[in-house]
CSV table of all heavy atoms in Angstrom, one decimal:
chain,number,residue,atom,x,y,z
I,9,THR,N,12.7,-0.1,16.1
I,9,THR,CA,11.3,-0.6,16.0
I,9,THR,C,10.4,0.0,17.2
I,9,THR,O,11.0,0.4,18.1
I,9,THR,CB,11.3,-2.2,16.3
I,9,THR,OG1,11.9,-2.5,17.5
I,9,THR,CG2,12.3,-2.9,15.2
I,10,PRO,N,9.1,0.1,16.9
I,10,PRO,CA,8.3,0.5,17.9
I,10,PRO,C,8.2,0.0,19.2
I,10,PRO,O,8.5,-1.3,19.4
I,10,PRO,CB,6.9,0.4,17.2
I,10,PRO,CG,7.1,0.3,15.8
I,10,PRO,CD,8.5,-0.4,15.7
I,11,SER,N,8.2,0.7,20.3
I,11,SER,CA,8.2,0.1,21.7
I,11,SER,C,6.9,-0.5,21.9
I,11,SER,O,5.9,-0.4,21.2
I,11,SER,CB,8.5,1.3,22.7
I,11,SER,OG,7.4,2.1,22.7
I,12,VAL,N,6.8,-1.2,23.1
I,12,VAL,CA,5.6,-1.8,23.5
I,12,VAL,C,4.6,-0.7,23.8
I,12,VAL,O,3.3,-1.0,23.4
I,12,VAL,CB,5.8,-2.6,24.9
I,12,VAL,CG1,4.4,-3.1,25.4
I,12,VAL,CG2,6.5,-3.9,24.4
I,13,VAL,N,5.1,0.4,24.2
I,13,VAL,CA,4.0,1.5,24.5
I,13,VAL,C,3.4,2.1,23.2
I,13,VAL,O,2.2,2.3,23.0
I,13,VAL,CB,4.7,2.7,25.3
I,13,VAL,CG1,3.8,3.9,25.3
I,13,VAL,CG2,5.1,2.2,26.7
I,14,GLU,N,4.2,2.1,22.1
I,14,GLU,CA,3.8,2.5,20.8
I,14,GLU,C,2.8,1.6,20.3
I,14,GLU,O,1.9,1.9,19.5
I,14,GLU,CB,5.0,2.9,19.9
I,14,GLU,CG,5.7,4.2,20.2
I,14,GLU,CD,7.0,4.4,19.5
I,14,GLU,OE1,7.8,3.3,19.3
I,14,GLU,OE2,7.3,5.4,19.0
I,15,ARG,N,3.1,0.2,20.4
I,15,ARG,CA,2.3,-0.8,19.9
I,15,ARG,C,1.0,-0.8,20.6
I,15,ARG,O,0.0,-1.0,19.9
I,15,ARG,CB,3.0,-2.2,20.0
I,15,ARG,CG,4.3,-2.2,19.2
I,15,ARG,CD,4.9,-3.7,19.3
I,15,ARG,NE,6.1,-3.7,18.7
I,15,ARG,CZ,6.3,-3.7,17.4
I,15,ARG,NH1,5.3,-3.8,16.4
I,15,ARG,NH2,7.7,-3.6,16.9
I,16,LEU,N,1.0,-0.6,21.9
I,16,LEU,CA,-0.3,-0.5,22.6
I,16,LEU,C,-1.1,0.7,22.2
I,16,LEU,O,-2.4,0.7,22.1
I,16,LEU,CB,-0.2,-0.5,24.0
I,16,LEU,CG,0.3,-1.8,24.6
I,16,LEU,CD1,0.9,-1.6,26.2
I,16,LEU,CD2,-0.7,-2.9,24.6
I,17,ALA,N,-0.4,1.9,21.8
I,17,ALA,CA,-1.0,3.1,21.5
I,17,ALA,C,-1.7,2.9,20.2
I,17,ALA,O,-2.9,3.4,20.0
I,17,ALA,CB,0.0,4.2,21.4
I,18,ALA,N,-1.2,2.1,19.3
I,18,ALA,CA,-1.7,1.9,18.0
I,18,ALA,C,-3.0,1.0,18.1
I,18,ALA,O,-3.9,1.1,17.2
I,18,ALA,CB,-0.9,1.0,17.1
I,19,ARG,N,-3.3,0.4,19.3
I,19,ARG,CA,-4.5,-0.4,19.5
I,19,ARG,C,-5.6,0.5,20.0
I,19,ARG,O,-6.8,0.0,19.9
I,19,ARG,CB,-4.1,-1.5,20.4
I,19,ARG,CG,-5.1,-2.6,20.4
I,19,ARG,CD,-4.7,-3.9,21.2
I,19,ARG,NE,-4.5,-3.7,22.6
I,19,ARG,CZ,-4.1,-4.6,23.4
I,19,ARG,NH1,-3.8,-5.8,23.0
I,19,ARG,NH2,-3.9,-4.4,24.7
I,20,GLU,N,-5.4,1.6,20.3
I,20,GLU,CA,-6.5,2.6,20.9
I,20,GLU,C,-7.3,2.9,19.6
I,20,GLU,O,-6.9,3.1,18.6
I,20,GLU,CB,-5.9,3.8,21.5
I,20,GLU,CG,-5.1,3.5,22.7
I,20,GLU,CD,-5.9,2.9,23.9
I,20,GLU,OE1,-7.1,3.4,24.0
I,20,GLU,OE2,-5.5,1.9,24.5
I,21,ARG,N,-8.6,3.3,19.9
I,21,ARG,CA,-9.6,3.7,19.0
I,21,ARG,C,-9.2,5.1,18.4
I,21,ARG,O,-8.9,6.0,19.2
I,21,ARG,CB,-11.0,3.7,19.5
I,21,ARG,CG,-12.2,3.8,18.4
I,21,ARG,CD,-13.5,3.7,19.1
I,21,ARG,NE,-14.5,3.6,18.0
I,21,ARG,CZ,-15.0,4.7,17.4
I,21,ARG,NH1,-14.7,6.0,17.8
I,21,ARG,NH2,-16.0,4.6,16.6
I,22,PRO,N,-9.0,5.2,17.2
I,22,PRO,CA,-8.7,6.4,16.4
I,22,PRO,C,-9.7,7.5,16.7
I,22,PRO,O,-10.9,7.2,16.8
I,22,PRO,CB,-8.5,6.1,14.9
I,22,PRO,CG,-8.3,4.7,14.9
I,22,PRO,CD,-9.2,4.1,16.1
I,23,GLU,N,-9.3,8.8,16.7
I,23,GLU,CA,-10.3,9.8,16.4
I,23,GLU,C,-11.0,9.8,15.2
I,23,GLU,O,-10.6,9.1,14.3
I,23,GLU,CB,-9.5,11.2,16.7
I,23,GLU,CG,-8.7,11.3,18.0
I,23,GLU,CD,-8.0,12.7,18.3
I,23,GLU,OE1,-8.0,13.4,17.2
I,23,GLU,OE2,-7.5,13.0,19.3
I,24,GLY,N,-12.0,10.7,15.2
I,24,GLY,CA,-12.9,10.7,14.1
I,24,GLY,C,-13.8,9.6,13.8
I,24,GLY,O,-14.1,8.8,14.9
I,25,SER,N,-14.3,9.4,12.7
I,25,SER,CA,-15.4,8.4,12.5
I,25,SER,C,-15.0,7.3,11.4
I,25,SER,O,-14.4,7.6,10.4
I,25,SER,CB,-16.6,9.0,11.8
I,25,SER,OG,-17.1,10.1,12.8
I,26,PRO,N,-15.3,6.1,11.6
I,26,PRO,CA,-15.0,5.0,10.8
I,26,PRO,C,-15.8,5.2,9.4
I,26,PRO,O,-16.8,5.9,9.4
I,26,PRO,CB,-15.3,3.8,11.4
I,26,PRO,CG,-16.4,4.2,12.4
I,26,PRO,CD,-16.0,5.6,12.9
I,27,VAL,N,-15.4,4.4,8.5
I,27,VAL,CA,-16.2,4.7,7.2
I,27,VAL,C,-16.9,3.2,6.9
I,27,VAL,O,-17.7,3.1,6.0
I,27,VAL,CB,-15.4,5.0,5.9
I,27,VAL,CG1,-14.9,6.5,6.1
I,27,VAL,CG2,-14.2,4.1,5.8
I,28,MET,N,-16.3,2.2,7.6
I,28,MET,CA,-16.9,0.8,7.4
I,28,MET,C,-17.0,0.0,8.5
I,28,MET,O,-16.2,0.2,9.5
I,28,MET,CB,-16.1,0.0,6.3
I,28,MET,CG,-15.9,0.4,4.9
I,28,MET,SD,-15.1,-0.7,3.7
I,28,MET,CE,-16.4,-2.0,3.7
I,29,TYR,N,-17.9,-0.9,8.5
I,29,TYR,CA,-18.0,-2.0,9.6
I,29,TYR,C,-17.7,-3.3,9.0
I,29,TYR,O,-18.1,-3.6,7.8
I,29,TYR,CB,-19.3,-1.9,10.4
I,29,TYR,CG,-19.6,-0.7,11.1
I,29,TYR,CD1,-20.8,0.0,11.0
I,29,TYR,CD2,-18.7,0.0,11.8
I,29,TYR,CE1,-21.1,1.2,11.7
I,29,TYR,CE2,-19.0,1.2,12.6
I,29,TYR,CZ,-20.2,1.8,12.3
I,29,TYR,OH,-20.5,2.9,13.0
I,30,GLN,N,-17.1,-4.3,9.8
I,30,GLN,CA,-17.2,-5.5,9.2
I,30,GLN,C,-16.8,-6.5,10.4
I,30,GLN,O,-16.3,-6.0,11.5
I,30,GLN,CB,-16.1,-5.7,8.1
I,30,GLN,CG,-14.7,-5.2,8.3
I,30,GLN,CD,-13.9,-5.1,7.0
I,30,GLN,OE1,-13.0,-5.8,6.8
I,30,GLN,NE2,-14.4,-4.0,6.2
I,31,SER,N,-17.0,-7.7,10.4
I,31,SER,CA,-16.6,-8.8,11.3
I,31,SER,C,-15.6,-9.8,10.7
I,31,SER,O,-15.9,-10.2,9.5
I,31,SER,CB,-17.9,-9.5,11.9
I,31,SER,OG,-18.6,-8.5,12.6
I,32,TRP,N,-14.7,-10.3,11.4
I,32,TRP,CA,-13.8,-11.2,11.0
I,32,TRP,C,-13.8,-12.5,12.0
I,32,TRP,O,-13.9,-12.3,13.3
I,32,TRP,CB,-12.4,-10.7,11.0
I,32,TRP,CG,-12.0,-9.5,10.2
I,32,TRP,CD1,-13.0,-9.0,9.2
I,32,TRP,CD2,-11.1,-8.6,10.2
I,32,TRP,NE1,-12.4,-7.8,8.7
I,32,TRP,CE2,-11.2,-7.6,9.3
I,32,TRP,CE3,-9.8,-8.6,11.1
I,32,TRP,CZ2,-10.3,-6.5,9.2
I,32,TRP,CZ3,-8.9,-7.5,10.9
I,32,TRP,CH2,-9.2,-6.6,9.9
I,33,GLY,N,-13.7,-13.7,11.4
I,33,GLY,CA,-13.7,-14.8,12.2
I,33,GLY,C,-12.9,-16.1,11.5
I,33,GLY,O,-12.7,-16.0,10.3
I,34,ASN,N,-12.7,-17.1,12.3
I,34,ASN,CA,-12.1,-18.3,11.8
I,34,ASN,C,-10.8,-17.9,11.0
I,34,ASN,O,-10.5,-18.6,10.1
I,34,ASN,CB,-12.9,-19.2,10.9
I,34,ASN,CG,-12.6,-20.7,10.9
I,34,ASN,OD1,-11.7,-21.0,11.8
I,34,ASN,ND2,-13.0,-21.4,10.0
I,35,LEU,N,-10.1,-17.0,11.6
I,35,LEU,CA,-8.8,-16.7,11.0
I,35,LEU,C,-7.6,-17.5,11.5
I,35,LEU,O,-7.3,-17.5,12.6
I,35,LEU,CB,-8.5,-15.1,11.3
I,35,LEU,CG,-7.5,-14.4,10.4
I,35,LEU,CD1,-7.8,-12.8,10.3
I,35,LEU,CD2,-6.1,-14.6,11.0
I,36,LEU,N,-6.9,-18.0,10.5
I,36,LEU,CA,-5.7,-18.8,10.9
I,36,LEU,C,-4.5,-17.9,10.5
I,36,LEU,O,-4.3,-17.5,9.3
I,36,LEU,CB,-5.7,-20.1,10.0
I,36,LEU,CG,-4.6,-21.1,10.3
I,36,LEU,CD1,-4.8,-21.6,11.7
I,36,LEU,CD2,-4.3,-22.1,9.3
I,37,PHE,N,-3.8,-17.6,11.5
I,37,PHE,CA,-2.5,-16.8,11.2
I,37,PHE,C,-1.3,-17.9,11.0
I,37,PHE,O,-1.1,-18.7,11.9
I,37,PHE,CB,-2.1,-16.1,12.5
I,37,PHE,CG,-2.9,-15.1,12.8
I,37,PHE,CD1,-4.0,-15.1,13.7
I,37,PHE,CD2,-2.8,-13.7,12.3
I,37,PHE,CE1,-4.8,-14.0,14.0
I,37,PHE,CE2,-3.6,-12.6,12.5
I,37,PHE,CZ,-4.7,-12.7,13.5
I,38,MET,N,-0.7,-17.8,9.9
I,38,MET,CA,0.4,-18.7,9.5
I,38,MET,C,1.6,-17.8,9.2
I,38,MET,O,1.5,-16.9,8.4
I,38,MET,CB,0.1,-19.5,8.3
I,38,MET,CG,-1.3,-20.3,8.4
I,38,MET,SD,-1.8,-21.0,6.7
I,38,MET,CE,-0.5,-22.3,6.5
I,39,HIS,N,2.7,-17.9,9.8
I,39,HIS,CA,3.8,-17.1,9.9
I,39,HIS,C,5.2,-18.0,9.7
I,39,HIS,O,5.4,-18.9,10.4
I,39,HIS,CB,4.0,-16.1,11.0
I,39,HIS,CG,3.0,-15.2,11.1
I,39,HIS,ND1,1.9,-15.0,11.8
I,39,HIS,CD2,3.0,-13.9,10.4
I,39,HIS,CE1,1.3,-14.0,11.7
I,39,HIS,NE2,1.8,-13.2,10.8
I,40,TRP,N,6.1,-17.3,8.7
I,40,TRP,CA,7.3,-18.0,8.5
I,40,TRP,C,8.5,-16.8,8.7
I,40,TRP,O,8.1,-15.7,8.3
I,40,TRP,CB,7.4,-18.5,7.1
I,40,TRP,CG,6.7,-19.7,6.9
I,40,TRP,CD1,7.2,-21.1,6.8
I,40,TRP,CD2,5.3,-19.7,6.4
I,40,TRP,NE1,6.2,-21.8,6.6
I,40,TRP,CE2,5.0,-21.1,6.2
I,40,TRP,CE3,4.4,-18.8,6.2
I,40,TRP,CZ2,3.7,-21.6,5.8
I,40,TRP,CZ3,3.1,-19.2,5.7
I,40,TRP,CH2,2.8,-20.5,5.5
I,41,GLU,N,9.6,-17.2,9.3
I,41,GLU,CA,10.5,-16.2,9.3
I,41,GLU,C,11.2,-16.1,7.9
I,41,GLU,O,11.4,-17.2,7.4
I,41,GLU,CB,11.7,-16.8,10.4
I,41,GLU,CG,12.7,-15.8,10.6
I,41,GLU,CD,13.7,-16.1,11.6
I,41,GLU,OE1,13.5,-17.1,12.4
I,41,GLU,OE2,14.9,-15.5,11.6
């Protein structure tokens, strides 16, 4: 599985240009094992 370092690296802003903008809110994360 990816390390904490790799997970943090995935959070960095990618190179190049985005193609879309959007905003997200009132998001309920529900998870089951």
Side-chain angles (χ1 to χ4, degrees):
T9 61
S11 66
V12 171
V13 171
E14 289 171 316
R15 296 184 190 280
L16 289 170
R19 196 163 69 173
E20 296 297 318
R21 191 175 188 273
E23 296 180 354
S25 300
V27 293
M28 291 191 71
Y29 298 135
Q30 45 193 261
S31 297
W32 302 343
N34 204 15
L35 193 151
L36 186 70
F37 294 99
M38 309 169 66
H39 286 98
W40 291 263
E41 186 177 342

